[in-house]
């Protein structure tokens, strides 16, 4: 969850002297296909020194984009690009010790720029999830946002943080820092928002995500990462056999535009009950209006246990073929579970597979959708003199 602290103005300036953390390793996959510059990044990371960023291609406007590689003592690797702060590849050992790429991604920045799914692996902002009708009122003033999802604003608008070039710095072999200044009025949001994201690959096979932001005008902020996972490996088929457990007693129903309506509902007795490990596909096709609205699971779960005060376990997923276990821990009050319902096989991943229907899932740690228009939800308002701070972790192991 977001934690706000009031700091002296000089310290606020110092907080953003470096860029958001995003570390990338070469995009090793189960095939022989590799992203541009990968081999160089891999050979340098093996020495223990900080690898030089590798070229990841150029945008249509000629801007060169880079790939940053993180590695730990277990040979796990994470690769990030400064275009959209995207997690491109994440290699962790399976039950047989084989490194498996559990994140789907594209082979170069050219594919990310034109993909029909704009959020693969991206750092999301200013506001993760949806804002109804692209509008909200703050301190008596209504703000009109960029609309990009039917009548709504999704993940920050048409040019959300997934489509910007972040300033990147890699202080060591296991950390990448990303920073971005979102100017006042960008996509309709108020305030100059200074954002820093730090991604760290620990020796415990944890991918840590630490978010910070400050503003010079009252605004709303809800940052997250939109990695698409398949714990059996990119290109291994659908994710319906994955065993999922979500540590939540309730979820937020949505209308047919995926905007919250009515009251928060208990999961007990519904297809949304993942309080015990359950295959993702076990109830995904049962007759249920909420599943119909989301075309599957695309809902926010309400987490408990003092969000914002400590890191709480939100979910656990097990790859049914690989034995890879992913635990999700967060300070956030919500977890958006998305079962890949809009994947349509129109894009080709770095290993050569298509993004076919439900071949990846997302577990996005965040505040609730449409919070700026829902007074009963935890606030997402950030004011001058405050610091937005929140953290989440994806931790990997193997089934015993």
């Amino acid at each position: 969850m977001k934690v706000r602290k009031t700091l002296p103005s000089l310290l606020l300036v110092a907080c953003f002297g470096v860029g958001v953390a995003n570390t990338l390793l070469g995009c090793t996959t189960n095939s022989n296909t590799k992203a541009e510059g990968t081999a160089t990044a891999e050979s340098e990371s093996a020495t223990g020194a900080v690898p030089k960023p590798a070229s990841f291609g150029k945008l249509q406007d000629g801007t060169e984009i880079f790939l940053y590689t993180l590695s730990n003592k277990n040979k796990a690797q994470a690769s990030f690009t400064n275009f959209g702060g995207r997690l491109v590849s994440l290699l962790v050992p399976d039950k047989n010790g084989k490194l498996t790429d559990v994140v789907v991604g594209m082979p170069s920045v050219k594919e990310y720029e034109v993909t029909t799914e704009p959020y693969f692996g991206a750092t999301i902002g200013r506001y993760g999830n949806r804002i109804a009708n692209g509008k909200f009122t703050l301190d008596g003033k209504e703000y009109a946002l960029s609309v990009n999802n039917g009548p709504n604003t999704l993940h920050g608008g048409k040019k959300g943080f997934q489509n910007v070039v972040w300033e990147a710095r890699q202080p060591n072999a296991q950390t990448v820092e990303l920073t971005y200044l979102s100017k006042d009025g960008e996509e309709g949001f108020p305030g100059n928002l200074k954002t820093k994201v730090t991604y760290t690959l620990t020796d415990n096979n944890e991918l840590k995500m630490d978010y910070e932001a400050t503003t010079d005008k009252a605004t709303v902020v809800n940052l997250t990462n939109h990695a698409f996972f398949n714990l059996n490996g990119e290109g291994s088929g659908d994710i319906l056999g994955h065993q999922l457990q979500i540590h939540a007693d309730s979820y937020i129903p949505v209308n047919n535009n995926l905007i919250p309506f009515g009251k928060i509902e208990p999961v007990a007795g519904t297809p949304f009950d993942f309080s015990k490990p359950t295959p993702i596909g076990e109830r995904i096709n049962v007759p249920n209006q909420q599943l119909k609205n989301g075309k599957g699971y695309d809902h926010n779960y309400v987490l408990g246990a003092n969000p914002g005060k400590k890191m709480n376990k939100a979910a656990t997923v097990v790859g049914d073929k690989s034995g890879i276990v992913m635990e999700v821990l967060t300070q956030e009050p919500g977890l958006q579970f998305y079962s890949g319902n809009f994947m349509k096989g129109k894009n080709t991943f770095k290993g050569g597979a298509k993004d076919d229907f439900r071949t990846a899932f997302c577990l996005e740690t965040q505040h609730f959708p449409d919070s700026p228009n829902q007074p009963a939800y935890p606030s997402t308002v950030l004011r001058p003199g405050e610091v937005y701070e929140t953290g989440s972790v994806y931790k990997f192991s193997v089934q015993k």
Side-chain angles (χ1 to χ4, degrees):
M1 173 180 178
K2 173 186 312 181
V3 177
R4 301 188 182 90
K5 299 186 291 187
T6 302
L7 297 178
S9 58
L10 287 177
L11 184 54
L12 286 177
V13 173
C15 280
F16 290 94
V18 293
V20 178
N22 242 349
T23 309
L24 294 175
L25 258 195
C27 295
T28 306
T29 70
N30 291 328
S31 76
N32 293 323
T33 303
K34 297 193 175 200
E36 294 182 33
T38 294
T40 300
E42 287 175 348
S43 61
E44 290 177 344
S45 65
T47 68
V50 178
K52 296 179 180 179
S55 177
F56 199 49
K58 293 182 178 181
L59 297 175
Q60 293 175 3
D61 66 5
T63 302
E64 187 171 14
I65 300 301
F66 295 93
L67 192 69
Y68 298 80
T69 297
L70 309 179
S71 59
N72 67 13
K73 67 179 184 181
N74 306 314
K75 298 184 180 179
Q77 303 175 354
S79 298
F80 290 85
T81 177
N82 60 323
F83 178 65
R86 297 170 184 273
L87 177 60
V88 174
S89 175
L90 181 58
L91 294 162
V92 296
D94 70 3
K95 61 186 178 183
N96 298 314
K98 179 184 177 182
L99 287 177
T100 300
D101 193 347
V102 297
V103 168
V104 304
M106 313 301 277
S108 77
V109 73
K110 292 180 290 186
E111 287 80 8
Y112 279 116
E113 197 172 16
V114 299
T115 175
T116 59
E117 168 50 73
Y119 305 116
F120 285 131
T123 298
I124 299 297
R126 289 187 187 191
Y127 196 94
N129 220 308
R130 293 168 176 84
I131 296 178
N133 301 312
K135 296 178 181 179
F136 69 93
T137 299
L138 179 58
D139 296 338
K141 181 177 179 179
E142 183 177 88
Y143 293 92
L145 309 176
S146 170
V147 172
N148 64 326
N149 182 244
N152 308 314
T153 298
L154 174 63
H155 295 327
K158 294 178 181 178
K159 189 180 180 182
F161 286 4
Q162 79 280 355
N163 284 327
V164 304
V165 179
W166 294 71
E167 292 292 328
R169 186 179 82 95
Q170 190 168 355
N172 58 61
Q174 293 179 232
T175 304
V176 63
E177 296 174 347
L178 303 174
T179 53
Y180 176 67
L181 172 62
S182 177
K183 294 184 178 180
D184 184 24
E186 184 173 288
E187 299 301 286
F189 290 94
N192 291 297
L193 187 77
K194 294 180 178 179
T195 305
K196 176 182 178 180
V197 185
T198 303
Y199 291 105
T200 304
L201 182 64
T202 75
D203 285 334
N204 293 322
N205 287 354
E206 300 167 315
L207 183 62
K208 294 180 60 182
M209 300 163 282
D210 294 299
Y211 304 89
E212 297 178 26
T214 61
T215 183
D216 60 1
K217 186 185 297 185
T219 192
V220 295
V221 186
N222 189 24
L223 304 179
T224 190
N225 181 276
H226 209 311
F228 282 63
F229 292 98
N230 186 322
L231 300 186
N232 294 329
E234 180 191 274
S236 62
D238 68 48
I239 45 79
L240 299 180
H242 283 55
Q243 294 275 337
L244 171 64
Q245 182 176 19
I246 300 178
H247 301 281
D249 296 326
S250 55
Y251 79 106
I252 299 178
V254 295
N255 63 21
N256 58 4
N257 284 319
L258 299 178
I259 295 295
F261 79 99
K263 61 182 181 179
I264 293 171
E265 296 285 347
V267 299
T270 77
F272 294 86
D273 188 355
F274 287 91
S275 57
K276 297 179 180 179
T278 304
I280 289 174
E282 184 169 293
R283 297 169 299 208
I284 201 168
N285 293 317
V286 303
N288 178 276
Q289 187 59 47
Q290 281 300 303
L291 289 175
K292 182 178 179 181
N293 288 351
K295 295 182 172 55
Y297 298 104
D298 195 358
H299 295 74
N300 185 80
Y301 282 75
V302 178
L303 307 175
N306 298 315
K309 302 299 182 182
K310 62 179 182 177
M311 200 72 73
N312 298 298
K313 183 178 286 189
T316 303
V317 194
V318 182
D320 54 311
K321 300 174 184 177
S322 67
I324 293 173
V325 178
M326 183 176 81
E327 297 174 78
V328 183
L329 301 97
T330 186
Q331 292 176 294
E332 288 293 291
L335 181 73
Q336 185 81 9
F337 170 40
Y338 170 60
S339 53
N341 315 311
F342 298 100
M343 301 176 75
K344 298 179 179 179
K346 293 184 177 181
N347 304 288
T348 302
F349 292 138
K350 54 189 182 291
K354 292 287 187 180
D355 60 334
D356 291 331
F357 186 53
R358 293 178 178 160
T359 54
F361 67 90
C362 304
L363 290 170
E364 305 155 64
T365 57
Q366 57 186 242
H367 270 54
F368 303 166
D370 199 36
S371 290
N373 296 311
Q374 305 278 351
Y377 290 176
S379 175
T380 56
V381 176
L382 181 68
R383 298 185 181 278
E386 298 174 339
V387 179
Y388 171 104
E389 291 182 314
T390 188
S392 297
V393 173
Y394 294 128
K395 182 177 181 179
F396 297 88
S397 59
V398 293
Q399 198 170 41
K400 302 295 185 181

